[in-house]
Amino acid sequence: MTGPGTLKLRARMTAQARRQVERFGHDLTLVVGTGSTTWGTPASTLGVTQAVRGVLMPAPLRRMQATGASGLPVPSYVAYLAAADVEADLSTPGWYLQHQGQNFYPTRDARDEGGQGVVWVCELGSPGEVTVRGEDQPGWAG
C-alpha cells in the first residue's frame, strides 16, 4: 500500500478531496478538548480550536434512530473533512464541530475512509445533542 503507484494515487486523491471540500464545503470550527473518554459527551476542558472546511450534511434516513413513543427519527449528520487539513486525531473522544453557532458532537470514531489519510468521515448527532444530563457536566445542556 506504499508503492509508487499507490502514493501517486493518494496524492491525486488528496488534492481532489481538498478541491471538492473547498468548493462545496462549509466553514466549520474543530474544537478539541480534554477529559472526555466517551463519544457523545463534551470534553471537560476546552483545548485547541481550528478553522476547517468540510462538507456537513444530514445522514441518510436509514441511519437516523427512532426514539420514544412517537417513533420519529432523531436527526443526525455526517461531516467529510480533508484529512490533510485536520491537525487533530479524530479517532479519540473529546472533540466536536461547530457550524453557525451550533455544536455537532461525534457519536463514534471518525473514519479514515479507505485508510489512505485522504478524508475523515465523522458521524455526528443532532446540533447540541449530548448524552449526559446537564448536572453531570456543569455548563452543558443535555
Side-chain angles (χ1 to χ4, degrees), residues 3-119:
T6 300
L7 294 176
K8 186 176 181 180
L9 177 61
R10 180 177 178 227
R12 286 182 183 167
M13 289 171 48
T14 298
Q16 181 68 17
R18 278 183 162 157
R19 280 194 298 276
Q20 295 303 318
V21 167
E22 184 60 36
R23 184 173 180 197
F24 299 109
H26 304 92
D27 292 325
L28 307 171
T29 302
L30 172 64
V31 180
V32 181
T34 60
S36 179
T37 58
T38 307
W39 290 112
T41 61
S44 58
T45 306
L46 292 181
V48 179
T49 61
Q50 178 190 356
V52 294
R53 187 97 172 138
V55 177
L56 178 66
M57 55 194 295
L61 184 59
R62 67 180 179 277
R63 282 208 20 250
M64 294 185 190
Q65 303 169 351
T67 61
S70 68
L72 295 174
V74 174
S76 58
Y77 294 81
V78 178
Y80 300 89
L81 307 174
D85 297 336
V86 176
E87 298 172 2
D89 179 9
L90 302 185
S91 65
T92 58
W95 61 272
Y96 62 93
L97 292 172
Q98 289 181 333
H99 178 59
Q100 296 181 342
Q102 300 274 355
N103 295 340
F104 293 82
Y105 296 97
T107 57
R108 64 188 69 205
D109 290 356
R111 295 185 321 271
D112 174 7
E113 203 61 48
Q116 295 292 318
V118 176
V119 175

